[in-house]
Amino acid sequence: MRRLLLLLLGLWEAQSRAPSRPNFVLIVADDLGIGDPGCYGNKTLRNAERPFLLVFSCIQVHTALYASKDFAGKSKHGAYGDAAEEMDWGVGQLLNVLEELQLTNNTLVYFTSDQGAHVEEVTPKGERHGGSNGIFKGGKGNNWEGGIRVPGLLRWPGVLPAGVEIAEPTSNMDVFPTVAKLAGSPLPEDRIIDGRDLMPLLRGETQRSEHEFLFHYCNFYLNAVRWHPPNSSSVWKAFLFTPNFAPEGANGCFPTHVCFCHGHFVTRHHPPLLFDLSRDPRERRPVTPGAEPRFWEILEAMQEAAERHARTVVPVPNQLSVGRILWKPWLQMCCSSSPGLSCQCPRGEQD
């Protein structure tokens, strides 16, 4: 709550004069399933003289669930619903300030989640503390559609038409090149940019995503390949391995609380397990060579794409090594309220 109020105070300092380039508000929920927002069918739940970018990363609805006293115990969906409704309120506060400052028509707002709902999050009393992934299989920590299909809501009045639904494969990686292009900034040339500018698709200038292929990882293992061929309504998805759900018949890996990506925790598939998501979005009926005459041709095209992709991936240092996760006091912000820090800021900056 305190962090949200500080963000709102920053917005209040903005002037109402519209900048020459758009502003951006990126709102990222944590573990919010695609079946949780009401617009997806759920029935139970900044300085304006220059363009600004506000990234508001919600702690909701990751466990341990939390809701302030104004929301605790108020929803029809327990602690998870309380947290989701408080997040909804917080998003509304941000949008209200944009309206009051007359910045709405010059601001692209994008709301999404980092991954799907955590289906294995169940208390000892049997209360579900994870959300809903709608009709889709799996959830957080795996690459079934329930784990990687997340809410994607955008608002930019006067630029993006209201009420449009787009059923093309996109990625949160697309946010970076989209924002950079709208801000008039060139993309880095010293690396491969996997994301694509979303604006042609959002404006209706094209009906197809630029992502012909998407590659889904489980940790650092390539887990699945998605292919939306040109001039085809099919969306193929091939799994190199799948997690072993447990107990039998479950929709997740309950004994380990999250699905692992290696060893006896997975089943490898030779040939890969193939689905046509356009016909089978719930991933219940794998495509077979007998039912699909182009079975081997499809897998060959996806294998070639995966090999091209692998040649572009450059290994990076272990991000969880001891040297990277140790607290580094010299990187803390000056003017902190912590009495243990000796750094000082000029008086003007403190004010």
Side-chain angles (χ1 to χ4, degrees), residues 75-135:
S75 81
K76 297 180 181 179
H77 195 63
Y80 186 91
D82 297 345
E85 291 186 8
E86 182 161 14
M87 176 178 63
D88 179 68
W89 170 84
V91 172
Q93 295 297 297
L94 291 174
L95 299 183
N96 289 343
V97 173
L98 291 176
E99 293 281 355
E100 294 166 5
L101 298 179
Q102 300 180 6
L103 294 172
T104 296
N105 292 345
N106 201 48
T107 302
L108 171 62
V109 178
Y110 181 55
F111 177 90
T112 188
S113 177
D114 63 341
Q115 55 194 334
H118 193 175
V119 298
E120 297 95 346
E121 195 66 66
V122 180
T123 70
K125 296 182 179 180
E127 181 182 2
R128 287 182 57 187
H129 274 195
S132 166
N133 293 314
I135 67 170

Side-chain angles (χ1 to χ4, degrees), residues 298-327:
I298 293 167
L299 286 182
E300 182 179 5
M302 300 175 83
Q303 177 63 35
E304 291 175 355
E307 291 173 355
R308 290 195 301 270
H309 165 72
R311 290 194 292 269
T312 70
V313 177
V314 179
V316 298
N318 181 4
Q319 302 300 294
L320 297 179
S321 64
V322 174
R324 289 181 178 269
I325 64 175
L326 284 176
W327 180 59

